[in-house]
């Protein structure tokens, strides 16, 4: 259930007795901008570790323990054309504790303290906290290159996407981090609090009336947030872009980026899910069976589908000298799907895999909150049985149609030949 509370502020309620906990998410949502990626992640780190009332991580942790071990975190997410700063709290439903403590009310008060009363020193964040968290983030960004698969993935994004906000790593970059001042970051946070679209989501055994009463305590002001299309689209690239890196690695990384202009919950979306599962999305997929098992050319081979950006990625770990042969076999598997060369058993396995994964996720409250967020943003809500029905209705012709829409546009290759690194 999605309810508009006031201008730019909405509540989504998942009223359920399935869980012994109540989860609350407060998402500040803004149009994606490359210059804000690093700011968002630094803000998340600062806000997660302190506030005026809880000035240290130790004191903050003690408060969560007092609330019978409540869970808390601040995170960021880039999805399509939006960027979210998300405050999350999970607390036990007091009915299972035999206590008179109003834990949900306490949780709302805790989140309100974190969001609206960060630890400050004048017109900026506490300097010690700011400097410490900036160094932690700097260390993390610097270590990204050491994770070779992550580095290959980031390079693929950088080649494939034309928009800086999509091409940059979700955690930003060291150059942007070094430019952020304490005063600037606090000013930016005030802009987020006052201007961003606010989506509040609650999952638990709670009525609509109580949920509305509780979230009204946040006192978010009316705002007119900038509206952007949720899905990122870009014109197809006629020429395949390729980038090769020479890094010292024991296993070469070959990643491929394809455009697949089918988006979340659109008509062809369900066929795209089945296609991806058949192509490289699970252990019995064509990529895994033919590239890794039959040809023994890869340590791993898989595909993933980003339905908010129309992006299909293939990731493989191979011996560098096998690059062209692997490319050929990957292309053959795509051609097979274009021709509809897939057995009934393969399709049924893919559908069962997707449906089982979907149903298992219903047992995770965090997943339900994420789904509710995007259902609210799209003003769509698909019931469980309807989702399953649409997956089951996908045909061989539907899969072939999706395969024909897939277009290779970018190649990222880490070959391990360090002798050419500086050439």
């Amino acid at each position: 259930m999605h309810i508009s509370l006031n201008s730019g502020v909405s509540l989504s309620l998942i009223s359920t007795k399935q869980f012994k906990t109540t989860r609350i998410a407060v998402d500040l949502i803004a149009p994606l901008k490359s210059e804000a990626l690093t700011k968002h992640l630094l803000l998340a780190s600062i806000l997660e570790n302190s506030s005026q009332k809880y000035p240290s991580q130790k004191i903050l942790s003690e408060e969560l323990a007092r609330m019978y071990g409540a869970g808390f975190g601040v995170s960021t997410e880039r999805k399509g054309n939006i960027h979210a700063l998300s405050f999350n709290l999970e607390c036990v439903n007091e009915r299972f504790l035999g206590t008179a403590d109003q834990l949900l009310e306490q949780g709302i008060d805790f989140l309100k303290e974190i969001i609206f009363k960060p630890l400050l020193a004048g017109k900026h964040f506490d300097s010690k906290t700011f400097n410490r968290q900036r160094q932690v983030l700097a260390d993390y960004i610097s270590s990204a290159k050491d994770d070779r698969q992550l580095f290959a993935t980031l390079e693929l994004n950088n080649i494939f996407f034309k928009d800086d906000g999509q091409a940059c790593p979700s955690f930003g970059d060291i150059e942007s981090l070094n430019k952020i001042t304490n005063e600037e970051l606090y000013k930016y946070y005030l802009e987020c609090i006052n201007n961003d679209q606010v989506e509040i989501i609650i999952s638990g055994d709670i009525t609509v009336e109580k949920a509305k009463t509780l979230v009204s305590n946040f006192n978010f002001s009316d705002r007119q947030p900038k509206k952007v299309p949720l899905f990122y689209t870009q014109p197809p690239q006629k020429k395949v872009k390729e980038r090769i890196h020479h890094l010292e690695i024991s296993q070469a990384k070959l990643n491929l980026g394809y455009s697949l202009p089918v988006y979340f919950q659109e008509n062809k979306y369900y066929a795209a899910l089945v296609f991806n599962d058949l192509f490289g999305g699970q252990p019995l997929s064509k990529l895994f069976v033919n590239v890794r098992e039959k040809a023994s050319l890869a340590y791993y081979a898989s595909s993933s589908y980003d339905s908010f950006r129309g992006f299909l990625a293939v990731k493989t770990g191979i011996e560098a000298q096998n690059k062209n042969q692997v490319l050929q076999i990957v292309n053959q598997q795509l051609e097979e799907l274009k021709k509809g060369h897939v057995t009934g058993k393969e399709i049924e396995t893919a559908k069962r895999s997707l449906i089982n994964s979907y149903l298992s996720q219903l047992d995770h409250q965090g997943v339900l909150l994420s789904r509710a967020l995007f259902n609210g943003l799209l003003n769509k809500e698909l019931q469980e049985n309807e989702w399953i029905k649409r997956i089951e209705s996908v045909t061989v012709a539907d899969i072939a149609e999706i395969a024909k829409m897939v277009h290779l546009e970018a190649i990222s290759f880490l070959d391990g030949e360090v002798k050419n690194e500086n050439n």
Side-chain angles (χ1 to χ4, degrees):
M1 179 181 295
H2 190 249
I3 307 162
S4 179
L5 300 176
N6 55 32
S7 182
V9 182
S10 298
L11 165 67
S12 291
L13 176 62
I14 308 166
S15 185
T16 174
K17 297 181 183 293
Q18 181 180 357
F19 307 101
K20 293 183 178 180
T21 57
T22 304
R23 292 193 65 151
I24 311 153
V26 179
D27 292 292
L28 305 180
I29 298 171
L32 178 64
K33 295 180 180 178
S34 59
E35 61 269 22
L37 286 167
T38 315
K39 290 179 182 177
H40 263 67
L41 199 55
L42 182 53
L43 276 173
S45 298
I46 290 172
L47 297 166
E48 187 176 66
N49 285 282
S50 63
S51 74
Q52 292 178 30
K53 189 174 181 179
Y54 314 112
S56 71
Q57 192 171 25
K58 179 178 181 295
I59 296 172
L60 191 147
S61 297
E62 288 173 348
E63 175 62 15
L64 292 172
R66 191 191 64 77
M67 289 191 288
Y68 296 87
F72 164 68
V74 185
S75 60
T76 68
E77 182 175 23
R78 173 176 62 184
K79 209 79 167 177
N81 282 320
I82 65 169
H83 200 195
L85 180 64
S86 182
F87 302 82
N88 292 271
L89 183 92
E90 180 181 43
C91 60
V92 179
N93 186 323
E94 58 266 17
R95 295 177 189 174
F96 296 97
L97 295 173
T99 176
D101 290 349
Q102 301 294 307
L103 294 182
L104 182 53
E105 286 79 353
Q106 292 175 27
I108 294 288
D109 289 341
F110 177 86
L111 282 178
K112 186 177 178 181
E113 165 74 20
I114 295 291
I115 296 170
F116 293 101
K117 296 181 180 179
L119 185 61
L120 303 177
K123 293 185 178 181
H124 57 75
F125 293 107
D126 172 67
S127 297
K128 184 178 180 181
T129 303
F130 173 84
N131 292 331
R132 181 174 62 251
Q133 296 305 325
R134 184 167 64 171
Q135 186 58 53
V136 169
L137 182 53
D139 292 343
Y140 174 77
I141 293 173
S142 299
S143 69
K145 195 172 183 179
D146 296 332
D147 183 333
R148 300 315 197 195
Q149 183 54 70
L150 173 60
F151 181 76
T153 298
L154 296 176
E155 282 299 295
L156 183 66
N157 286 352
N158 190 261
I159 306 166
F160 183 90
F161 292 107
K162 297 179 180 179
D163 178 78
D164 287 344
Q166 306 293 339
C168 288
S170 59
F171 48 77
D173 57 79
I174 200 70
E175 292 78 13
S176 298
L177 180 62
N178 289 335
K179 293 177 183 178
I180 298 174
T181 66
N182 197 338
E183 291 80 3
E184 176 194 5
L185 187 66
Y186 179 57
K187 182 180 179 182
Y188 174 74
Y189 182 58
L190 290 178
E191 292 174 359
C192 294
I193 290 293
N194 293 318
N195 301 320
D196 285 359
Q197 182 175 346
V198 180
E199 293 287 335
I200 303 170
I201 308 159
I202 299 180
S203 169
D205 186 7
I206 178 174
T207 64
V208 175
E209 292 73 19
K210 183 174 181 179
K212 290 172 69 174
T213 299
L214 286 173
V215 301
S216 66
N217 292 325
F218 283 118
N219 293 323
F220 281 106
S221 61
D222 285 354
R223 73 265 327 274
Q224 296 295 330
K226 294 179 181 178
K227 295 290 185 181
V228 297
L230 179 56
F231 305 133
Y232 171 77
T233 62
Q234 68 180 26
Q237 299 174 158
K238 295 181 180 179
K239 185 178 180 181
V240 178
K241 297 179 180 179
E242 182 171 5
R243 187 174 297 170
I244 299 174
H245 281 276
H246 311 288
L247 299 174
E248 188 173 357
I249 48 176
S250 58
Q251 183 186 115
K253 312 293 182 186
L254 176 64
N255 288 4
L256 313 174
Y258 301 81
S259 61
L260 176 52
V262 176
Y263 299 92
F264 183 68
Q265 288 195 12
E266 291 184 346
N267 288 335
K268 296 178 182 178
Y269 167 68
Y270 304 92
L273 289 178
V274 178
F275 159 81
N276 178 64
D277 215 63
L278 287 165
F279 186 46
Q282 44 93 7
L284 295 176
S285 67
K286 288 186 174 294
L287 291 184
F288 186 88
V289 170
N290 291 283
V291 181
R292 185 184 187 279
E293 297 293 293
K294 289 185 179 180
S296 299
L297 290 174
Y299 301 99
Y300 60 86
S302 64
S303 67
S304 59
Y305 164 49
D306 184 340
S307 62
F308 289 82
R309 301 195 286 182
F311 178 51
L312 179 76
V314 168
K315 299 177 183 179
T316 68
I318 65 173
E319 295 294 336
Q321 67 269 21
N322 294 330
K323 174 190 174 186
N324 290 335
Q325 195 175 354
V326 171
L327 279 171
Q328 182 181 15
I329 297 177
V330 170
N331 186 58
Q332 286 174 353
Q333 305 319 305
L334 184 57
E335 289 300 317
E336 288 293 301
L337 289 169
K338 287 180 181 179
K339 295 173 184 177
H341 292 173
V342 56
T343 67
K345 183 178 179 180
E346 286 175 322
I347 293 180
E348 183 60 26
T349 299
K351 290 179 179 179
R352 281 297 109 201
S353 172
L354 288 165
I355 292 170
N356 289 339
S357 176
Y358 179 83
L359 292 175
S360 68
Q361 289 175 351
L362 297 178
D363 293 328
H364 298 277
Q365 237 174 338
V367 174
L368 297 182
L369 262 69
S370 179
R371 287 182 184 172
L373 171 63
F374 294 107
N375 285 339
L377 292 174
L378 290 168
N379 197 27
K380 292 181 179 180
E381 188 168 358
L382 203 66
Q383 298 300 318
E384 173 187 323
N385 58 346
E386 182 62 24
W387 192 95
I388 293 173
K389 181 179 178 182
R390 294 193 184 190
I391 289 292
E392 289 178 336
S393 67
V394 172
T395 66
V396 173
D398 295 331
I399 295 165
E401 183 181 1
I402 293 295
K404 291 172 185 176
M405 299 172 70
V406 174
H407 181 245
L408 179 63
E409 298 191 4
I411 300 174
S412 170
F413 186 48
L414 276 59
D415 68 3
E417 297 181 16
V418 295
K419 60 185 178 181
N420 296 323
E421 179 65 21
N422 297 318
N423 287 358

